[in-house]
Amino acid sequence: MRDIENRDDLLHLMEAFYSRMMQDEQIGYIFTEVAQLDLSHHLPLLADFWNNALFHTGGYKNNVVQIHKDLNDKETLTPAHFERWQYLLKTTIDDHFQGEVAEKMKLRATQVGMTMQAKLGHYS
Ligand code: HEM
């Protein structure tokens, strides 16, 4: 298995991740019913976010914490939701890629998740 190399890899990874999340019994409904996401719009934004987070490309300007605060106003995001999200991302990455960037992505996802939860008032 090879490492994550570019935005295309990230887009394919996000497709695989979201296909798992949307079918998930614990958090699937947040994507399909609460946010009712249009994946053709959403997945490219996620690829841009990760491309910038991992390869410092610039090109992602949205406020990710604020987006999840707004989501949390519609449906409370619990520590259990975050744990499930992290688990599904980690297992999707591990099934497709291996290497330094893949490890960095898992670490970064955990860090952003902790920041979000702190800002949502968990662990305070
Ligand atoms: C409980 C865990 C989480 C759930 C249920 C969740 C769900 C969602 C949903 C439904 C959206 C779309 C919001 C909208 O456009 O209306 C979204 C956007 C996004 N999420 Fe999460 N999320 C979670 C955690 C995280 C974490 C830990 C990260 C860390 C990297 C993350 C990164 C993003 C990004 C980058 C976007 C796209 C923002 C944009 O439109 O530019 N999410 N999330």
Side-chain angles (χ1 to χ4, degrees):
M1 251 193 292
R2 63 177 180 83
D3 203 354
I4 299 164
E5 288 168 9
N6 52 42
R7 187 181 180 281
D8 251 13
D9 288 344
L10 290 164
L11 191 56
H12 291 133
L13 189 59
M14 286 300 115
E15 278 164 8
F17 178 41
Y18 268 69
S19 109
R20 283 185 201 190
M21 284 213 292
M22 296 186 84
Q23 293 171 43
D24 189 72
E25 280 187 11
Q26 293 173 46
I27 60 173
Y29 77 98
I30 300 174
F31 298 90
T32 55
E33 287 168 35
V34 180
Q36 302 189 354
L37 286 178
D38 171 3
L39 287 189
S40 66
H41 172 76
H42 185 61
L43 295 182
L45 288 168
L46 292 173
D48 288 342
F49 169 84
W50 283 112
N51 202 26
N52 184 48
L54 300 172
F55 302 118
H56 313 290
T57 52
Y60 182 81
K61 300 275 178 272
N62 296 344
N63 183 337
V64 178
V65 171
Q66 189 59 50
I67 287 169
H68 294 81
K69 276 189 179 170
D70 293 345
L71 181 61
N72 187 62
D73 288 342
K74 292 187 207 155
E75 176 74 13
T76 304
L77 301 177
T78 66
H81 288 143
F82 277 95
E83 218 168 278
R84 186 70 185 159
W85 186 101
Q86 302 281 359
Y87 171 81
L88 292 171
L89 180 65
K90 181 186 181 305
T91 48
T92 311
I93 294 173
D94 288 345
D95 285 350
H96 293 87
F97 295 101
Q98 192 175 41
E100 250 175 66
V101 181
E103 290 308 309
K104 192 174 160 190
M105 186 168 179
K106 288 184 264 179
L107 187 64
R108 192 92 184 93
T110 307
Q111 291 167 339
V112 177
M114 297 298 285
T115 305
M116 273 180 197
Q117 290 183 80
K119 302 248 164 108
L120 296 181
H122 301 312
Y123 312 123
S124 59

